[in-house]
Amino acid sequence: MEDGRVWEFEQSLWMGDADQYERLIDPECLMVLPEQDYVFTGRMAIEAVQKTPRWSEVTFSDQRVARPQEGLIVLAYKAEARRDDEAYTAYCTTTIRRLEHDEWRVLQHQQTVPISA
């Protein structure tokens, strides 16, 4: 998957609904998020999305893409998201693996919220 599509894929996870998560999050996925329960499995993340309003806007910066082996993509970036009057900033990593031609799933995702000085 070329870089442009990788970032579209990632953006769809920030703005998509629970059905999008169901399609793109691997059941064996592990996530670390800055909210209770902190460590989530794929199923827990999908269920959490069902109860959370989606972001209406997200932009990425400090973007990095690594391809350590065939069929594996690792992303690192800064996300700035908005919905209504709420703003959110986090530094993130995501690992995506290819299951078959043009079918990709998230294996890992992590968000670190910057600590204000």
Side-chain angles (χ1 to χ4, degrees), residues 59-105:
T59 57
F60 302 141
S61 59
D62 297 331
Q63 295 164 271
R64 307 285 191 280
V65 178
R67 291 176 173 83
Q69 70 181 51
E70 180 68 27
L72 194 63
I73 300 173
V74 181
L75 306 176
Y77 60 96
K78 178 182 179 183
E80 296 177 273
R82 295 190 147 294
R83 65 175 159 235
D84 301 323
D85 292 334
E86 184 180 357
Y88 177 76
T89 300
Y91 288 87
C92 306
T93 62
T94 301
T95 303
I96 308 166
R97 76 174 173 132
R98 184 176 58 220
L99 299 178
E100 56 186 59
H101 177 72
D102 216 26
E103 186 176 348
W104 296 82
R105 296 289 183 280

Side-chain angles (χ1 to χ4, degrees), residues 13-54:
L13 292 164
W14 282 81
M15 298 175 67
D17 59 15
D19 289 341
Q20 183 76 346
Y21 264 62
E22 194 77 49
R23 283 189 302 278
L24 300 180
I25 302 297
D26 194 278
E28 296 298 316
C29 180
L30 293 177
M31 294 189 183
V32 175
L33 303 172
E35 60 185 57
Q36 280 299 79
D37 294 316
Y38 303 107
V39 177
F40 293 79
T41 63
R43 176 57 39 207
M44 290 169 66
I46 291 165
E47 290 170 5
V49 166
Q50 292 173 338
K51 300 178 225 160
T52 305
R54 304 311 299 143

